[in-house]
Amino acid sequence: MRISTSSFYNSGVYGMEQQQTALFNTQQQLSSGLRVTTPSVDPVAAARALEVGQSNSINTQYQTNQSAALSRMNLNETNLASVTTLIQNVQVQAVNAGNFSLNTSDRQAIAAQLNSLQQQLVSLANSTDGAGNYLFSGSMAGTKPFIQTASGVQYVGDQGQQSIQITSSRQVPVSLSGADIFQNIKTGNGSFATSAASGNTGTGVIDSGVVTDPTKWNVAANSKDISIKFSVSTANPPVTTYDLVDNSTGNSLLTGLASSATGPYPATYASGNAISLSHSAVTPASAASSADASTNAAAADAAAAATVTGTTLNAAGSEAYTAAYNAAIAGGASAADAATAAAAIQSAAQAGGTTATTLVAAATASSTISAATTGTVTSSIAASAANAAATAIANAAAAKAGTAFAGPAFDYGASVTITGAPQSGDTFSIKQSTNESIFTTISNLISALKSTSTGPAANAALSNQLNSIGQNLNNDLNNVLTVRAANGARVNETTTDQTTSAALGVQYQTTISNLQDLDYTKAISQLNQETTILQAAQKSFAQVSGLSLFTYLP
């Protein structure tokens, strides 16, 4: 086959150029350390590397976000820990203030310390992250959350939160609402708060109370606004009685009637004994349908073990009527029969009956109940009503002794305890818990310590205030600890996500390395091979291109 000189040259040059290109590519790989220097080298690997690289970039941003979130949440924890310590310091001062060996000047000195602590608390509540962003303003990072006004410290932030995306599916809040930390805190035991009237003259001190059954406490019938009124008799020794009054109606919870302005009241008080916010209906002494009024009257006398006078049953006879009516209904009487029996008892009480027997006799004389002692009932009123009427008198007498009393049944699943010696007219309140800020609680404590009143009644008033404030401070502390626990849980979760992201980043880097990185041993061998091939091609081309017939002509 005949090959032209031009074809020979073109072929030789093309071959050397191809070897130079291969050598150049290998040199680029060695200088960059990458096997895939351009997509054309390995299109599949280049596309996969681009995809993994994008995922790795996003993961790197998440790691940056996680670090920022942890820094912010750790700053939250630092400030909340300081708030915790400050509240504990306030609690210590409140306990110190309860030492009645202190004089007015001592307590006012404590009040000054508390005022300083309150200012420190405001400063902590307005903490920033160093970049001017407020930690406890909700989503309003640029707004100072707490300001001092004439009415006290006010929150002007919002209920929102600033969040940072730390994974593809999770955002973590890094700011907190100051209202949730410092303001929205329930007073008292969380269900109700107790307090003593400012005009009390006795030494009664009420505790925070306890709710044993939240379901019963939250029944619709409970107004959650109850007063405990006291009366002290002039007897020797004096007897202290009390009434539970529903302030929404003014009625006694124990009798169902309007509570009288003065005592004696239905229940007898004993210092330190729990006062239950409940009452069970009194069961009639007998349900025997054949028993007559006289027999039941004798039973009533025995049960009462006391002389019953008109004043015992209330001058107007209303307690007698209610007791008789409720007991008659409980004994199975119809409403009409119960009303007839109750009216008779009321009339006898108003007339100033003496003993239970006399009252029943008077009642039967003025009603259609037979007064005979033959054991028969000749009237239209059922024997159960006669039973109930007599039993009601026993109940009324027992109420005087503080053992049992008639009245509507109720159970609010709660109780309070009062110690000391309340005086007539002293009142204690039980009201549904409301929200109170930490700042208000401390201000109330400062105000209580600035009082200059002295004496047993003043000490009791201070004790009542300190008990209430102490309970609220406990609530404040527990609330801050709850917020810290939630913040700590988010720190732990973010730390876990950070560890996961770091491991994922290693996997991404490994995958990218496997797709792109150069095998230096293989590349160097390939470079040597390509260099040798190029040198051979150049040398052979030079030798062949130097052949000519003119060399052999003489």
Side-chain angles (χ1 to χ4, degrees), residues 111-476:
Q113 295 179 39
L114 290 170
N115 188 66
S116 176
L117 289 173
Q118 186 177 47
Q119 296 307 311
Q120 292 179 38
L121 183 61
V122 173
S123 178
L124 287 171
N126 287 325
S127 297
T128 65
D129 62 1
N133 297 314
Y134 290 96
L135 301 180
F136 306 129
S137 61
S139 62
M140 302 170 64
T143 300
K144 188 177 183 179
F146 291 93
I147 58 174
Q148 187 78 48
T149 67
S151 58
V153 179
Q154 300 295 321
Y155 179 66
V156 294
D158 63 14
Q159 300 293 327
Q161 292 178 318
Q162 303 166 47
S163 298
I164 294 179
Q165 189 88 27
I166 59 171
T167 67
S168 59
S169 59
R170 176 170 169 74
Q171 288 186 335
V172 62
V174 295
S175 70
L176 302 171
S177 169
D180 293 336
I181 302 171
F182 301 98
Q183 283 200 314
N184 298 333
I185 307 169
K186 291 296 182 183
T187 55
N189 57 31
S191 295
F192 62 81
T194 60
S195 63
S198 59
N200 285 1
T201 58
T203 59
V205 176
I206 190 170
D207 70 354
S208 298
V210 61
V211 174
T212 56
D213 190 333
T215 300
K216 291 180 179 179
W217 172 254
N218 290 308
V219 295
N222 183 9
S223 69
K224 300 182 178 67
D225 185 4
I226 300 168
S227 290
I228 307 175
K229 300 197 307 185
F230 283 89
S231 175
V232 182
S233 72
T234 57
N236 188 15
V239 177
T240 302
T241 57
Y242 67 89
D243 196 3
L244 299 177
V245 182
D246 185 337
N247 293 325
S248 66
T249 63
N251 290 340
S252 167
L253 292 171
L254 302 179
T255 67
L257 303 172
S259 180
S260 61
T262 59
Y265 294 123
T268 301
Y269 166 76
S271 177
N273 285 359
I275 296 176
S276 177
L277 302 186
S278 64
H279 177 232
S280 299
V282 177
T283 303
S286 172
S289 61
S290 62
D292 66 18
S294 298
T295 302
N296 282 290
D301 279 336
T307 298
V308 180
T309 66
T311 55
T312 299
L313 298 176
N314 189 312
S318 59
E319 289 184 19
Y321 180 93
T322 302
Y325 181 87
N326 290 338
I329 292 294
S334 67
D337 287 349
T340 300
I345 291 295
Q346 182 186 34
S347 297
Q350 288 174 329
T354 54
T355 67
T357 302
T358 304
L359 284 178
V360 171
T364 55
S366 61
S367 71
T368 56
I369 300 177
S370 172
T373 59
T374 59
T376 61
V377 178
T378 60
S379 72
S380 62
I381 297 177
S384 59
N387 263 349
T391 303
I393 301 172
N395 289 339
K400 180 66 176 175
T403 55
F405 44 86
F410 71 95
D411 186 355
Y412 293 158
S415 65
V416 297
T417 300
I418 297 176
T419 57
Q423 293 300 303
S424 292
D426 284 1
T427 303
F428 297 85
S429 297
I430 301 172
K431 294 181 179 293
Q432 184 175 13
S433 294
T434 57
N435 288 336
E436 181 176 286
S437 74
I438 301 177
F439 306 106
T440 299
T441 299
I442 297 177
S443 293
N444 290 341
L445 178 56
I446 293 172
S447 297
L449 297 183
K450 288 182 177 180
S451 172
T452 57
S453 300
T454 59
N459 289 344
L462 179 59
S463 292
N464 280 306
Q465 290 176 301
L466 292 179
N467 283 352
S468 176
I469 292 169
Q471 179 64 56
N472 292 342
L473 286 173
N474 284 337
N475 297 345
D476 297 338

Side-chain angles (χ1 to χ4, degrees), residues 27 29 70-71 73 84 86 143 188 237 241 243 255 335-336 339 360 392 413 415 447 453 484 492 507-508 523-524 541:
Q27 286 176 327
Q29 288 176 335
L70 284 173
S71 176
M73 288 187 290
T84 299
L86 189 146
T143 300
T241 57
D243 196 3
T255 67
V360 171
S415 65
S447 297
S453 300
R484 288 181 64 185
N492 291 338
Q507 292 178 357
Y508 284 146
I524 292 173
F541 177 77

Side-chain angles (χ1 to χ4, degrees), residues 27-59:
Q27 286 176 327
Q28 275 193 320
Q29 288 176 335
L30 286 168
S31 62
S32 66
L34 298 175
R35 180 181 68 86
V36 182
T37 54
T38 61
S40 61
V41 175
D42 189 340
V44 174
R48 177 59 179 159
L50 179 61
E51 178 184 347
V52 176
Q54 289 176 333
S55 297
N56 187 50
S57 296
I58 294 173
N59 183 65

